[in-house]
Amino acid sequence: MRGNSQLDLLLKSDSPGAQHRHIAEKVANRKRLSPEEGLFLFEHGELSYLGTLANAIREQKNGDNTYFNRNFHIEPTNLCVYDCKFCSYSRLIKQRDDADAWAFSMEEMMDIVRRYDGQPVTEVHIVGGVLPQYDLPFYQEFFRKIRAHRPELHIKALTPVEYHYIFKKAKVSYEEGMRLMKEAGLDSLPGGGAEIFHPEIRERIAADKCNAEQWLRIHEIWHEMGGRSNATMLYGHIEKYWHRIDHLEQLRQLQDKTGGFQTFIPLKFRNQDNQMSHVPESTPVEDLRNYAISRIYLDNFDHIKAYWPMIGRTLAQMSLAFGVDDIDGTIDDTTKIYSMAGAEEQNPALSTQELVEMIRRVGRRPIERDTLYNVLQDYTDTVFEDAAQWRGYYELPVVNHE
Ligand code: V47
Ligand code: SF4
């Protein structure tokens, strides 16, 4: 198998130490790593070693396929009852008159949906701040309206942070609440709100909002109802490596139980204009190591996603050699969560053609998928007519992995 040739070379060489070799052999034999071994990778795994292991797993699971989908984001409001220390995007209710605060009405949100009429988007991603007026009946009505307007559009919406709040306010159980959301048209859950599960960190950066147990329980209930969802981890701030392993381990255990997670998305902490601006950001090397270890540790997740608006196009391309097989969607300038936190991409928008080129340039197969990873189109050999419109790509030789 391709990719494993690198792993074979590593196993044959004299260079790895005993524990490095033991872990590489486990990966070659598709054996699961223990939390201690995961921690060892964070503490002692250098980049090329981790890349070899992660790439072998990536290629076992997904070959060269690199997935993307066509979606757009709606962020109903950036006003929020919570005050997460890392959040650059939210404003407290008392700041509602600030120039950069917004709270869309139902009609304004439907206007955004209608703006995409006739465009080949397959998914709407809805996530934002938590406010009392955006309650259970509000979201039921919103999902129903989207469904009525565009029945085939996949609604990927809200996280356990919102669900925990709106179900409590409506005095319904998680089970009943998720049933009502499904009935209204909810198709799947994005991965946000997970941050770092361990209370030692969570209470310092995201106090008050749903805790780890509640976050995991809502996903579990959704999975038991046949639904699919994503998971994230906000890393690279005040957590230690063992907090990351604790987080990954809790996700791995739930996935063993339900199999309902589709993809894991590591989210790099960005430090602009928030209460943690004094905390330095992780380096690109650390980001790639984190992708790789996530790929190696989460043996029961099919996909690892790099969220390109957050890390930029170059690092997203590099991540494809470190376990990542998905680079989010083609999206317009509709997400503010990261641009307000100092993300690489201030106006994140990539056309399908640009995304395809970005993937092909590093020798992978660009595959358009729907939210549930059904293949919609393989662009590996697609010839675009208006190649002159490509922005920012130089004529470099395409990598051949054979
Ligand atoms: O939960 C907020 C993160 C998340 C910052 O499921 C920050 O396909 C870094 O979960 N630095 C929401 N991260 C976004 C999210 C997501 C994104 C893309 C795809 C999917 C998916 C889900 O954004 C929050 C929080 O962890 N976040 N502020 C910041 N300063
Ligand atoms: Fe509110 Fe989400 Fe920002 Fe926390 S991360 S303050 S819950 S918008």
Side-chain angles (χ1 to χ4, degrees):
M1 188 177 328
R2 269 199 16 214
N4 277 356
S5 55
Q6 291 299 318
L7 185 53
D8 288 345
L9 278 177
L10 184 117
L11 286 167
K12 280 184 200 138
S13 80
D14 296 331
S15 49
Q19 183 67 342
H20 287 86
R21 177 178 296 282
H22 169 70
I23 291 177
E25 279 168 0
K26 273 189 133 178
V27 168
N29 295 314
R30 303 188 191 197
K31 296 241 172 69
R32 172 169 284 193
L33 299 197
S34 67
E36 294 71 30
E37 289 162 342
L39 189 58
F40 177 87
L41 291 183
F42 271 124
E43 287 173 349
H44 305 286
E46 54 81 31
L47 188 62
S48 66
Y49 167 82
L50 294 173
T52 300
L53 267 49
N55 195 47
I57 299 171
R58 183 239 206 264
E59 293 185 356
Q60 276 164 19
K61 285 186 184 284
N62 294 296
D64 276 332
N65 287 1
T66 299
Y67 298 96
F68 66 93
N69 69 342
R70 299 200 217 201
N71 62 4
F72 64 100
H73 288 229
I74 298 182
E75 291 168 358
T77 181
N78 69 338
L79 294 173
C80 191
V81 296
Y82 299 118
D83 187 23
C84 301
K85 303 297 173 237
F86 55 82
C87 186
S88 319
Y89 143 101
S90 69
R91 298 290 174 266
L92 295 168
I93 298 176
K94 63 181 182 213
Q95 298 170 302
R96 63 181 165 275
D97 295 326
D98 285 10
D100 53 6
W102 74 86
F104 293 138
S105 66
M106 181 75 69
E107 255 329 281
E108 285 170 325
M109 298 209 289
M110 283 309 294
D111 282 344
I112 300 176
V113 175
R114 285 189 282 265
R115 214 182 285 157
Y116 291 88
D117 285 358
Q119 292 193 37
V121 288
T122 58
E123 172 191 291
V124 54
H125 179 148
I126 305 166
V127 72
V130 178
L131 264 197
Q133 57 267 42
Y134 293 87
D135 57 7
L136 182 60
F138 181 92
Y139 280 116
Q140 282 175 294
E141 189 187 339
F142 184 36
F143 295 170
R144 285 204 183 101
K145 284 197 149 129
I146 300 175
R147 209 20 97 250
H149 179 72
R150 195 163 173 180
E152 79 291 355
L153 192 65
H154 183 106
I155 303 177
K156 184 175 85 179
L158 313 187
T159 72
V161 177
E162 287 102 332
Y163 288 127
H164 171 76
Y165 180 89
I166 67 180
F167 297 162
K168 199 168 162 205
K169 185 161 181 282
K171 298 191 172 52
V172 298
S173 65
Y174 289 167
E175 285 83 353
E176 177 62 0
M178 292 315 290
R179 194 190 63 71
L180 291 171
M181 299 282 48
K182 188 173 181 169
E183 192 181 84
L186 177 70
D187 289 307
S188 69
L189 264 58
E195 324 311 0
I196 287 286
F197 287 147
H198 199 283
E200 209 171 273
I201 301 299
R202 196 173 187 83
E203 280 162 18
R204 287 172 64 194
I205 64 168
D208 305 329
K209 72 182 189 186
C210 77
N211 63 26
E213 200 187 333
Q214 292 159 339
W215 191 97
L216 290 160
R217 181 68 192 135
I218 288 176
H219 280 265
E220 183 175 1
I221 291 167
W222 180 245
H223 295 170
E224 282 164 354
M225 289 166 59
R228 308 303 302 269
S229 66
N230 294 338
T232 57
M233 173 174 76
L234 177 71
Y235 72 92
H237 42 90
I238 58 166
E239 87 288 3
K240 301 270 187 286
Y241 284 143
W242 70 265
H243 294 117
R244 295 193 206 175
I245 285 294
D246 172 76
H247 191 95
L248 297 177
E249 178 59 23
Q250 295 202 52
L251 290 174
R252 196 168 75 171
Q253 284 182 16
L254 180 55
Q255 180 74 333
D256 275 345
K257 217 164 152 185
T258 65
F261 287 120
Q262 306 202 100
T263 182
F264 176 67
I265 312 150
L267 295 172
K268 172 193 175 88
F269 164 68
R270 306 302 310 234
N271 69 3
Q272 192 176 295
D273 295 332
N274 56 44
Q275 296 171 69
M276 289 167 66
S277 290
H278 56 287
V279 177
E281 293 180 355
S282 57
T283 63
V285 170
E286 186 58 20
D287 297 330
L288 294 174
R289 292 178 73 248
N290 188 68
Y291 281 121
I293 296 170
S294 304
R295 177 60 291 169
I296 298 164
Y297 199 78
L298 294 175
D299 59 347
N300 53 4
F301 275 63
D302 288 340
H303 304 287
I304 304 290
K305 187 194 281 192
Y307 188 53
W308 70 263
M310 165 68 82
I311 56 170
R313 301 163 203 218
T314 311
L315 194 55
Q317 277 178 312
M318 290 172 74
S319 74
L320 300 183
F322 290 85
V324 169
D325 64 280
D326 190 314
I327 10 187
D328 209 58
T330 56
I331 55 173
D332 289 325
D333 182 18
T334 46
T335 175
K336 294 268 180 281
I337 297 180
Y338 305 106
S339 50
M340 289 170 84
E344 294 305 312
E345 305 280 341
Q346 284 301 302
N347 294 301
L350 271 186
S351 67
T352 301
Q353 191 167 333
E354 287 169 319
L355 204 61
V356 162
E357 271 311 302
M358 203 170 121
I359 296 167
R360 287 203 296 212
R361 282 271 160 222
V362 288
R364 305 288 185 181
R365 302 177 75 88
I367 310 280
E368 183 182 354
R369 60 164 175 86
D370 66 12
T371 312
L372 302 175
Y373 286 84
N374 296 305
V375 172
L376 301 182
Q377 192 171 339
D378 182 342
Y379 284 89
T380 308
D381 300 314
T382 304
V383 178
F384 291 100
E385 280 172 17
D386 50 352
Q389 282 188 6
W390 297 345
R391 289 200 306 254
Y393 295 102
Y394 300 100
E395 285 304 316
L396 295 172
V398 172
V399 177
N400 184 348
H401 291 281
E402 296 298 341

